[in-house]
Amino acid sequence: MESRILSSGATTISGIHRLTRPAARITTVAVASPATINTTGGNLIWGRQLRPSLLNLDHSSPVPLVSKAAKRDAIKPCSATANDSAGDAAPVGFFAKYFLNVIFNILNKKIYNYFPYPYFVSAIHLAVGVVYCLGSWTVGLPKRAPIDSNLLKLLIPVAFCHAVGHVTSNISFAAVAVSFTHTIKALEPFFNAAASQFILGQSIPITLWLSLAPVVIGVSMASLTELSFNWLGFTSAMISNISFTYRSIYSKKAMTDMDSTNLYAYISIIALIFCIPPAVILEGPQLLKHGFSDAIAKVGLTKFLSDLFWVGMFYHLYNQLATNTLERVAPLTHTVGNVLKRVFVIGFSIIVFGNKISTQTAIGTSIAIAGVAIYSLIKAKIEEEKRGLKKSA
């Protein structure tokens, strides 16, 4: 998603929270192995677990039971403490994640340079991932979990917001420089904080609000002098931010104990269904008339099909690896990693495409990224302090 179905304040990976079955359905649940309940919940992206959510296993306490209240509280975002082995693997995971995301962004933009059809390409991204998931189900890795009409109704709003956010991100990528789109998407923490404060009624500390000031200022500075600026690219990136924020909100209402891998697959399938109609209606006639033929004439059929396949694979693998890595690391590592990822993408895109940027754009982008880093560090510290107070209590 970018894809981030994305934690709060992150890109690409921002905001589908841990999905747990409604408390009314389950009174108590026995935990299979000794664990300490983490009642602050967790994050998911595209149905994949970003952080250990319902359970924060430390194998130091007796087998607990999860009460209705604990299950209800488990929907809230949380951060997990990384164990030693996960910490050792984190640098490798982050390096691979950066590599996959950079390759995706570069290949994606190269495709738009000769095939400017973001609705169709967005559908291809999801389609390749869905085929991958269906193949995994076929061989039993993992075994497909059943889905009923009630669960489907819960997942549809989440998948719809994911689809809208994904498509609008790609419209922006096609319209402006990759670096500019990622600069605009640095505003995502602002939208998440605003939604938490004014829609969900959660209290946001003044320090967090103040840390968002440089983000807004930096993005404004970069936008005013960005050479590739156009309103389509800017507006689409902003809509993407809003869509991913609402995805976080709806995900709190979608409660199920289905494993994250299966949720990832189901949300991807539903999102693909939402993406196909606009691709066919808005771009179908142009694609049949000259879109496909022009692309094949420019790069050849083999390269055209290969590019579409690999951009979809990099998109899927990046998000899958990101969730597998981020669920094993500490919150501070998570937040720093997300900021560094954006720096990597912006930096490499400028180098590869030779985008010329003004001094003010460079300064504004730097200020925005620094603001995101400050916001993320403060938020991680607040979460750690909350967990410390709960443990002491």
Side-chain angles (χ1 to χ4, degrees):
M1 17 246 45
E2 212 50 345
S3 333
R4 53 304 132 353
I5 242 141
L6 326 171
S7 60
S8 295
T11 300
T12 67
I13 27 195
S14 304
I16 290 188
H17 299 290
R18 174 65 179 165
L19 310 178
T20 51
R21 187 180 298 279
R25 301 180 187 175
I26 298 178
T27 303
T28 59
V29 176
V31 180
S33 58
T36 297
I37 298 301
N38 179 354
T39 59
T40 54
N43 295 325
L44 287 176
I45 177 169
W46 296 28
R48 291 287 308 221
Q49 186 174 341
L50 278 179
R51 304 286 182 81
S53 54
L54 179 59
L55 302 178
N56 185 6
L57 304 180
D58 64 6
H59 304 283
S60 61
S61 64
V63 177
L65 295 179
V66 183
S67 65
K68 289 183 178 180
K71 288 283 277 186
R72 195 161 48 245
D73 292 339
I75 301 174
K76 300 177 181 178
C78 82
S79 301
T81 302
N83 56 36
D84 293 337
S85 60
D88 294 337
V92 176
F94 274 118
F95 177 79
K97 181 168 70 78
Y98 297 152
F99 172 78
L100 290 172
N101 190 243
V102 167
I103 295 300
F104 162 72
N105 278 275
I106 291 174
L107 180 56
N108 201 42
K109 183 60 176 180
K110 285 186 174 181
I111 290 174
Y112 288 134
N113 285 340
Y114 69 83
F115 187 70
Y117 298 94
Y119 291 93
F120 179 80
V121 174
S122 297
I124 291 296
H125 292 163
L126 292 171
V128 172
V130 167
V131 171
Y132 180 93
C133 293
L134 293 177
S136 299
W137 276 341
T138 301
V139 298
L141 295 172
K143 183 178 180 181
R144 187 182 70 83
I147 186 171
D148 56 28
S149 59
N150 291 328
L151 177 56
L152 185 62
K153 291 177 182 177
L154 294 174
L155 293 182
I156 284 177
V158 180
F160 175 77
C161 290
H162 169 63
V164 172
H166 178 53
V167 171
T168 50
S169 291
N170 277 284
I171 293 174
S172 182
F173 285 136
V176 297
V178 173
S179 57
F180 182 57
T181 297
H182 277 277
T183 300
I184 299 301
K185 288 179 71 64
L187 282 172
E188 196 168 316
F190 174 83
F191 286 99
N192 286 332
S196 297
Q197 179 84 53
F198 301 111
I199 298 179
L200 299 180
Q202 299 175 356
S203 177
I204 302 297
I206 187 64
T207 52
L208 275 181
W209 281 115
L210 292 176
S211 69
L212 288 171
V215 180
V216 176
I217 294 173
V219 171
S220 299
M221 288 179 60
S223 300
L224 289 174
T225 56
E226 169 60 38
L227 299 179
S228 70
F229 178 90
N230 65 55
W231 283 108
L232 176 62
F234 177 84
T235 305
S236 297
M238 293 293 283
I239 293 175
S240 175
N241 285 334
I242 297 172
S243 298
F244 288 141
T245 297
Y246 272 94
R247 182 184 61 188
S248 299
I249 295 173
Y250 282 118
S251 69
K252 291 188 177 184
K253 300 178 181 179
M255 297 177 291
T256 174
D257 57 2
M258 181 185 294
D259 68 277
S260 59
T261 302
N262 276 287
L263 280 173
Y264 177 99
Y266 283 124
I267 291 174
S268 296
I269 292 171
I270 299 171
L272 175 60
I273 294 173
F274 281 122
C275 287
I276 290 176
V280 173
I281 296 172
L282 299 177
E283 295 179 342
Q286 292 90 344
L287 287 171
L288 294 176
K289 185 176 181 180
H290 56 76
F292 291 128
S293 58
D294 287 352
I296 294 172
K298 291 177 181 177
V299 300
L301 178 61
T302 301
K303 178 172 174 53
F304 177 52
L305 295 178
S306 176
D307 284 352
L308 290 178
F309 170 77
W310 283 112
V311 76
M313 282 302 299
F314 279 118
Y315 176 74
H316 177 83
L317 293 176
Y318 158 69
N319 284 283
Q320 180 168 293
L321 179 60
T323 55
N324 290 340
T325 301
L326 293 177
E327 70 178 341
R328 294 176 173 83
V329 300
L332 186 59
T333 306
H334 172 207
T335 54
V336 172
N338 278 319
V339 174
L340 289 178
K341 182 206 73 175
R342 199 176 297 279
V343 172
F344 267 68
V345 173
I346 291 175
F348 275 97
S349 66
I350 292 175
I351 294 173
V352 171
F353 295 106
N355 297 330
K356 294 181 180 180
I357 60 174
S358 68
T359 301
Q360 183 172 322
T361 296
I363 294 174
T365 300
S366 300
I367 292 175
I369 297 300
V372 173
I374 294 172
Y375 168 87
S376 301
L377 294 174
I378 293 176
K379 186 175 181 181
K381 184 178 180 181
I382 292 174
E383 293 297 331
E384 289 176 350
E385 290 176 350
K386 287 181 180 179
R387 288 197 307 278
L389 290 175
K390 288 182 179 181
K391 288 182 180 179
S392 61

